[in-house]
């Protein structure tokens, strides 16, 4: 009896030892495959088959450990070093890695970006083709990587913050595809040097305040390209530098752990408890993973021998995670040399096969285009012997790209005289142009049913005895109805919660709808946007407020680099339906009356930019944005909150179509095009001009992105033959953009009787006070003067 018990225990022990051994060897296999992938990829770049490469060698073991605790439902917001984590998590294959290295535009081959991103920029699919959120709870999720270092931090904060919202807002608990009561951890990775960026510090502080499930891994290999950490980090240690944020029993804050990047067993042990704690308590953590290496240097663009000392290079060889893991396996008798050699040889073979498969899938469609082109060219070469050169050049390319085909076709079409065969060539060229447009030039915005452009307008309706109320009251009433009606809407910003924003749009609403849905944030525009990004990516409908338009600059980087490119860089697989609310244009002083619209519309292609003239129009635009999946910026008029407007009865139904200007005063002599606060100045001038016999047609463009999609302004110009563009931006700003659209895109130049004009603010920032405003920004008298000049010309 006793003997059999002992042997059963022995058996179980042996079994669990064998299980453990197998797991270690499986991990070592992934380490080897990932390392081979890095080595072979570099060769592909150096031999010219790929343009650039950046790899995860030296970080393999740490990422294997990290991947063990990444569960379905979790999110990653990382950067370009994370290939091993992706392989170990089962969300990327080596073949896919190579496909992206080659910039394969077929999404079946590069499922992260369809060839739109550099290698090692990963993503998983969040939304289906109709813009519906997938079941994110039962899959491992990767938000699309960006190249600006630390750009992943604000987004990471937001993805973790969403878990807090899902946990705390009861009404969201039934959204079972989006969250499991907020148990999802966001794993965020960053290089040690990139922690020098403000993005990192702002994120860590905000995480400590918010108490959210954010796990930040700093891969510390001592350098940022060539610059060592002595130049990057106080005390050369990010964990030391951040120690003041350490959470204590009676404080908020973050937990800080130090790990050795080569110590497989040690890392697994620490991460096991630490990630569990993050998941359960929502206390964020920093994992400072030290003593990592970079065996091949930073990227394919240079060699690390230029800046690392021989001693450092020797140290890196000895402390390479792969070598250390191998030594540890042997020392603990988990495998012998032969077994490990086999794993290593198999890894080499396997990676080579993956590379070859990826290359063939990438190159074959291009080779088909080359063959087809050559065939068509041969048909016309009898009449054009010089074409033989082009045929020879194109056929001799070992690694042709689509560009070679297009250039050859365009050149030959130019020099060939017309014939049926040349027509065939032209048709083929046209077909390829369209195919390439589909490959490289779509999904900047949603194109399916969730396109905001497909939202039909619904007019505002009023009671006969409709009240005239302050502009802010229209918004307040609207937000009240919106929050009662749509549980996914969350609003936040500086002073937005307790006092209901500086202009009272949210006044009283926190009490009604709770601090979990309407709340204050710290003064940190960058991570306010980050919070919005995370919530939006996870299927909620955030309204992130930037208190004044002039401070949008602090949050512009994630909007431009991250929000605006998400749909494009994932070829439609992720959407960020974030609404950024702010207020701008005329008020007082340099930083409370800016209207930097040229900068904004050029930085924010990929968002819709709404510039409503009053709060009623703003409501209609909010509804339109909420009906689609695209991100939008709403710039309310800073000086409009106390102007009286009629209160519509259909606040939730009223919708303003984007890209459709409104004629707010009809006229016959001059078309005046503008938007926002300055429209009131223009209307005042137009009333005065009317008395002198000059009739202005005043058009409010309503949205700058998109701009007048049905060419309504052109219709007006056809009638008046004179056009003036007015705004509060600097010369050459949004006025030049509107000018370009009407003159070039709409071909408005054909209808001009006199030269078109722009009237803008002065090139400097607006000076303070009423006189500063009058002399810095367009005023009534200037509008009258320009209009009279145009009539006299
Ligand atoms: C905002 C920004 N500045 C500069 C760069 C160029 N750059 C790319 S990687 C890099 C070094 C990053 O070093 P580190 O954060 O330590 O990460 P590692 O590459 O060592 O993993 C630099 C300067 C960039 N991509 N983004």
């Amino acid at each position: 009896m006793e003997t059999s018990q002992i042997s059963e225990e022995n058996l179980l022990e042996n079994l669990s030892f064998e299980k453990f051994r197998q797991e270690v060897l499986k991990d070592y296999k992934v380490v080897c495959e990932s390392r081979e992938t890095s080595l072979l990829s570099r060769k592909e770049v150096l031999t010219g088959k790929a343009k650039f490469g950046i790899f995860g060698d030296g970080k393999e073991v740490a990422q294997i450990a990290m991947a063990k605790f990444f569960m379905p439902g979790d999110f990653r917001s990382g950067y370009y070093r994370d290939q091993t984590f992706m392989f170990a998590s089962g969300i990327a294959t080596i073949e896919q890695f190579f496909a992206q290295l080659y910039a394969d535009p077929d999404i079946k081959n590069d499922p992260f970006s369809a060839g739109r991103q550099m290698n090692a920029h990963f993503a998983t699919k969040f939304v289906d083709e109709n813009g519906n959120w997938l079941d994110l709870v039962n899959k491992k999720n990767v938000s699309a990587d960006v190249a600006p270092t630390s750009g992943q931090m604000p987004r990471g904060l937001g993805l973790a913050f969403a878990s807090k919202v899902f946990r705390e807002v009861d009404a969201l608990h039934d959204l079972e595809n989006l969250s499991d009561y907020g148990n999802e951890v966001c794993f965020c990775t960053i290089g040690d040097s990139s922690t020098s960026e403000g993005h990192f510090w702002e994120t860590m502080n905000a995480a400590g305040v918010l108490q959210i499930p954010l796990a930040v891994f700093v891969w510390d290999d001592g350098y940022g390209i060539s610059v060592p950490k002595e130049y990057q980090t106080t005390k050369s240690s990010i964990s030391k530098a951040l120690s003041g944020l350490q959470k204590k029993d009676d404080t908020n804050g973050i937990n800080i752990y130090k790990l050795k990047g080569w110590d497989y067993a040690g890392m697994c042990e620490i991460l096991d408890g630490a990630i569990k704690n993050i998941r359960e308590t929502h206390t964020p953590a920093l994992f400072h993973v030290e003593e990592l290496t970079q065996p091949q240097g930073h990227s394919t663009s240079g060699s690390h021998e230029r800046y690392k000392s021989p001693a450092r290079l020797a140290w890196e060889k000895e402390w390479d995670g792969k070598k250390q893991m191998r030594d540890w396996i042997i020392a603990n008798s988990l495998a012998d040399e032969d077994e490990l050699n086999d794993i290593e040889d198999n890894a080499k073979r396997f990676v080579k096969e993956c590379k070859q498969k990826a290359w063939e899938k990438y190159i074959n469609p291009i080779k088909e285009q080359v063959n087809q082109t050559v065939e068509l060219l041969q048909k016309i070469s009898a009449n054009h012997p010089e074409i033989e050169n082009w045929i020879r050049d194109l056929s001799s390319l070992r690694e042709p790209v689509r560009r070679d085909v297009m250039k050859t076709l365009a050149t030959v079409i130019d020099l060939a005289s017309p014939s049926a065969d040349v027509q065939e060539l032209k048709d083929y060229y046209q077909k390829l142009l369209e195919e390439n447009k589909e490959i490289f030039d779509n999904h900047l915005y949603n194109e399916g049913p969730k396109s905001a452009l497909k939202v039909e307008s619904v007019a505002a309706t009023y009671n006969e005895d409709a009240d005239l109320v302050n502009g802010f009251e229209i918004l307040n009433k609207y937000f009240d109805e919106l929050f009662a009606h749509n549980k996914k809407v969350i609003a936040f910003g500086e002073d937005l919660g307790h006092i209901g924003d500086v202009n009272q749009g949210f006044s009283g609403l926190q009490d009604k709808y709770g601090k979990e849905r309407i709340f204050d944030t710290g003064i940190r525009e960058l991570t306010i946007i980050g919070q919005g990004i995370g919530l939006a990516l996870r299927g909620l409908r955030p309204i992130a407020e930037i208190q004044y338009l002039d401070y949008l600059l602090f949050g512009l980087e994630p909007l431009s680099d991250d929000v605006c490119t998400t749909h494009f860089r994932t070829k439609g697989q992720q959407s960020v339906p974030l609404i950024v609310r702010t207020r701008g244009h005329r008020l007082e002083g340099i930083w409370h009356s800016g209207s930097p619209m040229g900068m904004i519309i050029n930085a924010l292609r990929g968002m819709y930019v709404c510039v409503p003239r009053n709060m009623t129009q703003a409501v209609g635009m909010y509804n339109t944005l909420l009906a689609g999946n695209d991100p939008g910026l709403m710039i309310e008029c800073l000086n409009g909150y106390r102007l009286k407007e009629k209160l519509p009865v259909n606040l939730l139904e009223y919708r303003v179509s984007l890209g459709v200007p409104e004629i707010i005063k009809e006229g016959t002599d001059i078309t005046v095009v503008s938007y926002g606060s300055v429209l009131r100045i223009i209307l005042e001038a137009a009333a005065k001009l009317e008395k002198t016999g000059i009739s202005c047609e005043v058009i409010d463009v309503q949205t700058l992105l998109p701009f007048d999609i049905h060419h309504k302004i052109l219709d007006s110009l056809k009638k008046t033959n004179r056009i003036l563009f007015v705004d509060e931006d600097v010369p050459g700003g949004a006025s030049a953009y509107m000018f370009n659209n009407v003159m070039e895109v709409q071909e408005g130049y054909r209808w001009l009787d006199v030269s078109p004009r722009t009237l803008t603010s002065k090139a400097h920032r607006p000076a303070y006070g009423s006189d500063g405003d009058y002399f810095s920004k367009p005023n009534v008298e200037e509008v009258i003067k320009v209009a009279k000049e145009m009539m006299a010309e």
Side-chain angles (χ1 to χ4, degrees):
M1 183 77 180
E2 211 163 43
T3 333
S4 87
Q5 246 181 12
I6 288 167
S7 65
E8 235 172 70
E9 270 166 24
N10 275 347
L11 189 68
L12 282 175
E13 221 170 74
N14 282 342
L15 271 178
S16 69
F17 174 76
E18 184 53 24
K19 224 173 118 194
F20 169 68
R21 193 182 88 87
Q22 287 304 334
E23 178 158 345
V24 171
L25 294 186
K26 197 179 93 217
D27 287 347
Y28 185 64
K29 173 174 165 277
V30 179
V31 169
C32 294
E33 289 175 354
S34 185
R35 178 62 60 91
E36 286 306 319
T37 301
S38 302
L39 299 175
L40 203 52
S41 295
R42 185 177 172 85
K43 284 195 190 133
E44 292 300 275
V45 176
L46 300 184
T47 56
K49 279 162 83 183
K51 298 210 79 169
F52 171 79
I54 193 149
F55 311 114
D57 45 313
K59 319 281 186 296
E60 294 95 343
V61 176
Q63 291 182 18
I64 293 271
M66 171 188 170
K68 283 185 189 299
F69 306 98
F70 189 64
M71 295 293 134
D74 286 345
F75 286 79
R76 167 183 166 276
S77 182
Y79 79 116
Y80 50 77
R81 291 282 176 223
D82 293 345
Q83 68 190 54
T84 315
F85 171 79
M86 294 295 294
F87 299 149
S89 301
I91 30 184
T93 67
I94 291 169
E95 194 182 315
Q96 290 165 346
F97 183 88
F98 278 102
Q100 194 180 41
L101 185 77
Y102 300 134
D104 189 331
D106 187 336
I107 199 157
K108 291 196 290 301
N109 302 336
D110 164 12
F112 321 121
S113 71
R116 291 179 176 193
Q117 290 234 70
M118 275 180 169
N119 85 301
H121 286 63
F122 302 104
T124 55
K125 189 169 166 129
F126 288 7
V127 287
D128 69 16
E129 286 62 29
N130 293 321
N132 300 310
W133 259 256
L134 302 171
D135 176 1
L136 302 186
V137 170
N138 291 300
K139 64 204 276 288
K140 295 176 179 176
N141 305 294
V142 171
S143 61
D145 294 338
V146 293
T149 53
S150 81
Q152 69 275 30
M153 298 305 298
R155 170 167 22 99
L157 179 89
L159 289 166
F161 175 71
S163 290
K164 181 184 171 93
V165 171
F166 279 117
R167 188 172 278 184
E168 292 181 354
V169 178
D170 290 344
L172 300 178
H173 288 167
D174 62 350
L175 300 174
E176 287 172 2
N177 65 323
L178 299 181
S179 175
D180 175 20
Y181 296 96
N183 284 332
E184 305 78 22
V185 175
C186 178
F187 288 56
C188 190
T189 63
I190 184 166
D192 57 302
S193 302
S194 302
T195 65
S196 307
E197 296 277 12
H199 288 43
F200 175 82
W201 292 86
E202 193 174 311
T203 297
M204 296 315 294
N205 176 57
V209 170
L210 291 169
Q211 295 296 281
I212 51 172
L214 181 68
V216 177
F217 291 78
V218 178
W219 304 138
D220 186 351
D221 57 21
Y223 293 83
I225 308 187
S226 66
V227 181
K229 62 181 169 192
E230 297 85 82
Y231 293 110
Q232 306 275 6
T233 312
T234 300
K235 302 181 187 178
S236 297
S237 163
I238 196 61
S239 47
K240 279 189 198 155
L242 281 182
S243 59
L245 296 190
Q246 174 64 53
K247 179 178 161 53
K248 306 227 168 83
D249 282 347
D250 56 347
T251 70
N252 59 15
I254 65 173
N255 286 319
I256 298 176
Y257 302 88
K258 281 169 108 173
L259 287 71
K260 303 282 183 214
W262 44 263
D263 179 10
Y264 171 80
M267 283 187 291
C268 291
E269 199 182 327
I270 293 179
L271 289 176
D272 188 16
I275 300 288
K276 215 175 272 162
N277 186 55
I278 297 172
R279 203 178 293 287
E280 282 166 11
T281 67
H282 279 195
T283 306
L286 175 92
F287 299 97
H288 183 191
V289 187
E290 298 179 285
E291 299 185 19
L292 286 167
T293 66
Q294 212 169 67
Q296 299 190 108
H298 174 76
S299 72
T300 51
S301 299
S303 99
H304 59 157
E305 285 81 9
R306 281 186 304 163
Y307 52 83
K308 286 181 190 163
S309 67
R312 169 76 195 188
L313 290 166
W315 180 88
E316 288 205 6
K317 270 210 166 70
E318 180 56 28
W319 291 95
D320 174 14
K322 178 168 171 261
K323 176 183 181 302
Q324 288 292 328
M325 186 173 180
R326 192 183 206 284
D327 291 351
W328 176 82
I329 291 172
I330 302 259
N332 286 280
S333 307
L334 295 169
D336 60 20
E337 284 283 346
D338 289 345
E339 209 170 345
L340 295 184
N341 288 341
D342 271 357
I343 291 175
E344 288 156 9
D345 292 345
N346 286 337
K348 271 200 181 84
R349 234 187 334 269
F350 176 65
V351 171
K352 220 170 170 179
E353 279 166 25
C354 293
K355 181 213 80 167
Q356 200 50 33
K357 277 191 201 154
W359 175 253
E360 274 158 26
K361 284 185 185 171
Y362 160 73
I363 201 71
N364 286 344
I366 303 180
K367 287 200 163 154
E368 268 169 41
Q369 287 187 11
V370 169
N371 293 342
Q372 175 94 28
T373 303
V374 167
E375 220 172 87
L376 292 171
L377 293 181
Q378 274 162 348
K379 285 194 194 176
I380 56 172
S381 63
N383 294 339
H384 297 280
E386 68 274 32
I387 287 175
E388 287 297 340
N389 290 338
W390 291 99
I391 295 176
R392 202 189 48 241
D393 287 354
L394 187 62
S395 338
S396 64
L397 290 172
R398 278 188 43 193
E399 284 131 19
V401 291
R402 285 174 171 77
R403 182 182 61 187
D404 301 316
V405 173
M406 299 307 279
K407 280 171 94 92
T408 306
L409 283 168
T411 312
V412 173
I413 286 167
D414 256 3
L415 58 84
S417 37
S419 72
D421 290 331
V422 171
Q423 188 53 46
E424 205 183 342
L425 203 63
K426 284 184 181 168
D427 293 345
Y428 184 56
Y429 179 68
Q430 205 51 43
K431 177 178 155 267
L432 290 186
L433 271 182
E434 273 152 39
E435 260 179 48
N436 286 321
K437 193 168 157 50
E438 162 67 24
I439 291 176
F440 297 106
D441 188 24
N442 62 6
H443 290 103
L444 181 58
Y445 296 93
N446 274 262
E447 294 169 3
K450 287 293 182 177
S451 160
L453 297 186
K454 294 196 173 142
V455 178
E456 300 274 338
S457 71
V458 176
T461 52
Y462 299 91
N463 285 332
E464 263 178 35
D465 53 349
D467 290 336
L468 269 182
V469 298
N470 290 312
F472 79 84
E473 290 172 291
I474 304 241
L475 287 173
N476 189 247
K477 183 92 178 31
Y478 167 66
F479 287 136
D480 192 353
E481 289 185 19
L482 179 66
F483 273 74
H485 164 82
N486 188 343
K487 65 183 182 183
K488 289 187 179 172
V489 180
I490 311 283
F492 50 94
E494 295 152 20
D495 303 293
L496 185 139
H498 187 57
I499 65 166
D501 93 40
V502 286
N503 294 95
Q504 301 177 54
F506 280 92
S507 179
L509 301 186
Q510 187 181 62
D511 285 346
K512 205 161 166 183
Y513 297 103
K515 282 185 176 145
E516 298 76 24
R517 291 183 68 200
I518 297 175
F519 50 87
D520 290 322
T521 64
I523 305 177
R524 46 175 181 76
E525 288 75 12
L526 179 72
T527 46
I528 289 174
I529 299 298
Q531 275 174 272
I533 297 172
L535 291 168
L537 280 173
R538 292 186 63 180
L540 296 176
R541 301 301 311 222
I543 299 177
E545 179 168 311
I546 300 295
Q547 200 161 69
Y548 297 99
L549 179 58
D550 295 279
Y551 309 130
L552 186 73
L553 259 179
F554 280 66
L556 197 61
E557 187 281 324
L559 289 176
S560 184
D561 287 333
D562 200 352
V563 171
C564 285
T565 65
T566 298
H567 203 64
F568 173 80
R569 74 183 194 267
T570 59
K571 207 172 185 194
Q573 299 182 102
Q574 294 183 6
S575 281
V576 202
L578 163 67
I579 295 178
V580 178
R581 175 187 188 220
T582 187
R583 46 189 74 86
H585 313 313
R586 288 187 120 88
L587 200 68
E588 300 293 344
I590 295 180
W591 287 284
H592 295 85
S593 58
S595 194
M597 299 310 305
M599 174 187 79
I600 288 169
I601 55 181
N602 285 312
L604 299 186
R605 302 295 161 102
M607 282 182 83
Y608 290 126
V609 175
C610 302
V611 280
R613 65 181 177 277
N614 59 35
M615 305 311 157
T616 309
Q617 294 307 97
V619 166
M621 295 175 196
Y622 278 119
N623 283 330
T624 302
L625 288 174
L626 285 166
N629 273 356
D630 290 307
L633 172 66
M634 184 73 65
I635 301 169
E636 296 166 10
C637 293
L638 194 41
N639 63 3
Y641 292 110
R642 294 204 170 262
L643 299 178
K644 302 291 179 203
E645 297 180 34
K646 256 192 333 181
L647 180 68
V649 285
N650 62 339
L651 282 169
L652 284 185
E653 291 77 40
Y654 169 47
R655 289 171 176 187
V656 172
S657 289
L658 306 185
V660 180
E662 189 179 331
I663 297 172
I664 55 173
K665 179 196 165 299
E666 295 202 351
T668 51
D669 294 327
I670 304 179
T671 299
V672 186
V673 180
S674 190
Y675 57 88
S677 299
V678 77
L679 282 167
R680 282 194 294 281
I681 301 259
I682 295 167
L683 286 175
E684 193 184 328
K688 289 189 173 164
L689 284 163
E690 200 77 36
K691 289 188 186 136
T692 68
I694 299 174
S695 163
C696 294
E697 177 140 303
V698 182
I699 301 185
D700 176 5
V701 303
Q702 304 213 84
T703 60
L704 285 165
L705 290 177
F707 184 84
D708 188 12
I709 48 184
H710 306 307
H711 297 188
K712 254 187 143 171
I713 298 171
L714 184 71
D715 292 341
S716 173
L717 179 58
K718 284 180 182 172
K719 183 170 64 175
T720 62
N721 309 112
R722 294 181 189 84
I723 192 161
L724 168 65
F725 300 91
V726 185
D727 80 351
E728 298 184 29
D729 196 2
V730 292
S735 60
Y737 163 82
M738 296 191 287
F739 186 101
N740 168 260
N741 261 285
V742 177
M743 289 304 130
E744 184 180 344
V745 180
Q746 302 187 6
E747 297 189 4
Y749 69 93
R750 293 165 181 270
W751 302 91
L752 292 172
D753 277 353
V754 305
S755 61
R757 312 282 213 280
T758 60
L759 175 60
T760 67
S761 290
K762 302 294 180 291
H764 51 76
R765 301 288 187 94
Y768 184 56
S770 301
D771 282 346
D773 174 77
Y774 183 83
F775 290 104
S776 304
K777 296 241 172 184
N779 58 47
V780 174
E781 288 65 36
E782 281 175 339
V783 177
I784 292 173
K785 180 169 169 279
V786 176
K788 285 188 171 168
E789 279 168 13
M790 290 175 80
M791 292 307 291
E793 188 172 311

